[in-house]
Amino acid sequence: MLPAMKLILVRHGIAERSPSSDRERALSPDGRKRTRRAAQGLSRMVEGKARIFSSPYVRAVETAAILAEALDPRPKVAELDGLALGTVGEGVLDAVRGADASTVILVGHEPSLGSLASWFLVGNADVRALFKKSSAMCIGFGGRPGPGKGRLEWFLPPRVLRHLPAD
């Protein structure tokens, strides 16, 4: 039997509003500050060795880097095109299944992240969970991750994550 795995889905933090391309929008100063605080709270929820996959959009990459800094040991971070805005998780399942970690963290965007969560929980991406910026959801798997095989362990808004005491 495969060991249990935790999958944590995180929506990127608050991004700046700028005339640049959507792909290049970075976290705002307030977004970086709030994401760091949420990451400190999230660090209490991560068990064992972690691996982080991020959308290639700048605001998601920055969010993933902040999350990695908060975790001990610091996990590897890789960009995954299947987490980009407007995609429906192409290649995500393979990345999750291939990760050498007990906790896999996916950093992405709405509405794709909500569809991905529903796909893992109920096997249907059309029924979406709604993620606020910097919120996080943990889905547990007793064995091999797949559609409809996960169980919701917790779903925390950013305000709660920011108020969890760090270790």
Side-chain angles (χ1 to χ4, degrees):
M1 179 159 160
L2 293 171
M5 175 186 279
K6 305 280 188 202
L7 178 65
I8 299 176
L9 300 129
V10 178
R11 185 173 178 196
H12 65 80
I14 300 167
E16 62 188 10
R17 298 197 186 279
S18 71
S20 66
S21 76
D22 188 44
R23 188 178 186 95
E24 299 302 317
R25 288 176 47 223
L27 293 176
S28 68
D30 188 47
R32 279 190 285 282
K33 177 182 170 185
R34 288 175 182 229
T35 300
R36 274 191 198 89
R37 288 177 48 209
Q40 289 300 317
L42 183 62
S43 71
R44 293 183 51 94
M45 310 298 282
V46 175
E47 301 169 357
K49 182 179 177 184
R51 178 72 198 270
I52 300 175
F53 293 98
S54 170
S55 156
Y57 282 42
V58 171
R59 59 193 177 273
V61 170
E62 289 177 338
T63 298
I66 290 169
L67 290 172
E69 288 173 11
L71 299 176
D72 184 28
R74 187 175 180 162
K76 292 181 182 178
V77 178
E79 291 180 22
L80 186 61
D81 287 337
L83 293 170
L85 187 61
T87 63
V88 188
E90 299 156 14
V92 173
L93 183 58
D94 290 338
V96 169
R97 286 180 173 170
D100 181 24
S102 57
T103 301
V104 176
I105 301 171
L106 304 177
V107 181
H109 313 269
E110 271 294 282
S112 304
L113 205 59
S115 295
L116 189 60
S118 296
W119 184 73
F120 276 115
L121 289 168
V122 298
N124 183 346
D126 294 331
V127 182
R128 287 195 349 243
L130 299 175
F131 283 76
K132 288 186 170 196
K133 291 180 176 104
S134 295
S135 62
M137 175 189 285
C138 180
I139 300 171
F141 296 92
R144 188 173 171 86
K149 294 187 176 184
R151 66 185 179 284
L152 179 63
E153 298 208 356
W154 49 261
F155 190 12
L156 298 174
R159 179 170 287 183
V160 172
L161 288 170
R162 289 192 305 265
H163 286 89
L164 289 175
D167 283 337

